[in-house]
Amino acid sequence: MTAALRLTDLTVSYYDRRPAVHHVSAEIPAGEMTAIVGPNGAGKSTLLKALLGLAPRVEGRIECTAKRIAYLPQQAEIDRSFPISVLDTVLLGRWSRFGAFGAARPVDLDDARRAIEEVGLSGLERRPIDTLSVGQFQRVLFARLLLQDADLVLLDEPFAAIDSRTVSDLMVVIRRWRDEKRTVVAVLHDFDQVRRDFPYALLLACELVDAGPTSRVLSPENLLRARALAESRDEPAGTCDVPLRLSA
C-alpha cells in the first residue's frame, strides 16, 4: 500500500520541555482514513503540527506525497469574535488562489455555496460566525476544507463537543473524501468511533505504541501499554522513556 506520509525517527519538542513525540517511525496509507489516538498529553496534536511545519523543534524525517494539505485546528484555537460571515469564512478555503487583495470569482462563490449546502447550512450564508453553535461552526470549517480540494486532510479533534447528528453528517463528508482517494488523518478520542469508522490507526504515548489496521492497533495489550507509558511520563523524570521504534 502506498504511503501518503512516512515518518522516520521523528522527535518533536518544545524549547523548555522534554519531547512530546519521541522517535516515531510509521507510515500512513494514502487514500485512507487514519485515526491518531492515545492518552491525554500523548503528542497527538503536536504530531499534526509537526506535519504542517508548525512545531518549534523537529528532528528526524517526514516524507509527504501530497501536493495540497488542508488542516482543521481545534475550535479552541480559532477566534470567532472577528466579524465575518459564514460565506466569507468558507471562501477562505480559496485564499491561496486569490490572496489578500484579490476578489473571489463567480466559480469560487458557486463552490462555496455548494459546500455550505453539502454540510447542511443552506440559508445561513450571511450569518456572522459568532452567532453559530459549536456544531454549526464545525460544519462551516468543514465547508472551508471542501474548497481547499486537498490531497491530505488533517483534522485535530473534529468531533469535540458537537452533537451526534453533526458527527454523523460530517462523517459523510469524510467518507466522501476517502472515496475520492484523499488521505484523511484525524486526532480522535472515541475508540468506539475509531473502530467503527477508521480502518487504520496510530497509537501514541509520546512514543509509537503501534500503527496499522485499527483492529490490531487498539488491542487491549496496546491500550494497556499506552496507558502505562502515559502514567510513567506523569511521574518526575529527567528523560523520556526508552524509545520503542515500530514501523507500520
Side-chain angles (χ1 to χ4, degrees):
M1 183 174 291
T2 304
L5 288 164
R6 183 174 290 110
L7 314 178
T8 305
D9 206 25
L10 183 67
T11 296
V12 186
S13 56
Y14 297 92
Y15 297 116
D16 58 346
R17 305 175 191 173
R18 59 184 177 181
V21 174
H22 197 180
H23 293 293
V24 170
S25 296
E27 293 185 355
I28 292 177
E32 282 293 348
M33 298 157 54
T34 298
I36 298 179
V37 296
N40 291 336
K44 303 182 293 296
S45 296
T46 298
L47 178 58
L48 286 194
K49 289 181 169 62
L51 300 179
L52 293 160
L54 301 177
R57 296 181 59 186
V58 179
E59 300 174 11
R61 189 167 71 249
I62 300 172
E63 298 174 62
C64 179
T65 62
K67 296 179 180 179
R68 295 181 302 277
I69 301 175
Y71 171 55
L72 177 73
Q74 297 179 26
Q75 281 206 34
E77 299 178 13
I78 301 174
D79 181 6
R80 293 176 56 184
S81 64
F82 188 78
I84 186 172
S85 69
V86 166
L87 179 62
D88 288 339
T89 301
V90 174
L91 281 169
L92 289 174
R94 291 283 166 84
W95 180 270
S96 62
R97 302 191 187 184
F98 52 77
F101 302 105
R105 303 165 300 171
V107 65
D108 297 319
L109 291 167
D110 288 343
D111 288 347
R113 293 188 178 100
R114 189 176 303 111
I116 291 169
E117 181 180 0
E118 287 184 27
V119 299
L121 292 180
S122 294
L124 300 184
E125 289 83 355
R126 295 300 174 186
R127 280 273 299 273
I129 60 171
D130 63 354
T131 67
L132 301 175
S133 69
V134 173
Q136 288 173 326
F137 186 56
Q138 197 73 332
R139 291 173 187 262
V140 171
L141 297 179
F142 264 71
R144 186 176 68 179
L145 291 173
L146 287 169
L147 257 65
Q148 292 181 254
D149 192 28
D151 308 303
L152 171 62
V153 183
L154 305 177
L155 309 172
D156 195 353
E157 300 189 20
F159 305 129
I162 63 176
D163 59 279
S164 59
R165 179 176 177 180
T166 298
V167 172
S168 178
D169 290 346
L170 295 182
M171 277 305 308
V172 172
V173 176
I174 292 175
R175 292 190 191 98
R176 187 183 308 137
W177 283 329
R178 191 267 315 276
D179 293 342
E180 295 169 349
K181 305 303 180 184
R182 306 178 196 271
T183 304
V184 179
V185 180
V187 171
L188 297 170
H189 292 279
D190 185 340
F191 287 171
D192 289 337
Q193 182 187 24
V194 173
R195 291 187 177 97
R196 181 177 65 248
D197 294 325
F198 285 76
Y200 296 89
L202 189 154
L203 178 58
L204 277 182
C206 173
E207 307 164 12
L208 178 67
V209 177
D210 198 1
T214 298
S215 57
R216 185 194 77 206
V217 171
L218 295 188
S219 68
E221 294 79 11
N222 280 343
L223 294 177
L224 283 172
R225 174 166 175 75
R227 180 178 178 181
L229 286 171
E231 290 175 349
S232 70
R233 279 180 57 81
D234 288 338
E235 299 173 357
T239 61
C240 193
D241 300 294
V242 176
L244 171 68
R245 301 182 185 181
L246 299 177
S247 296

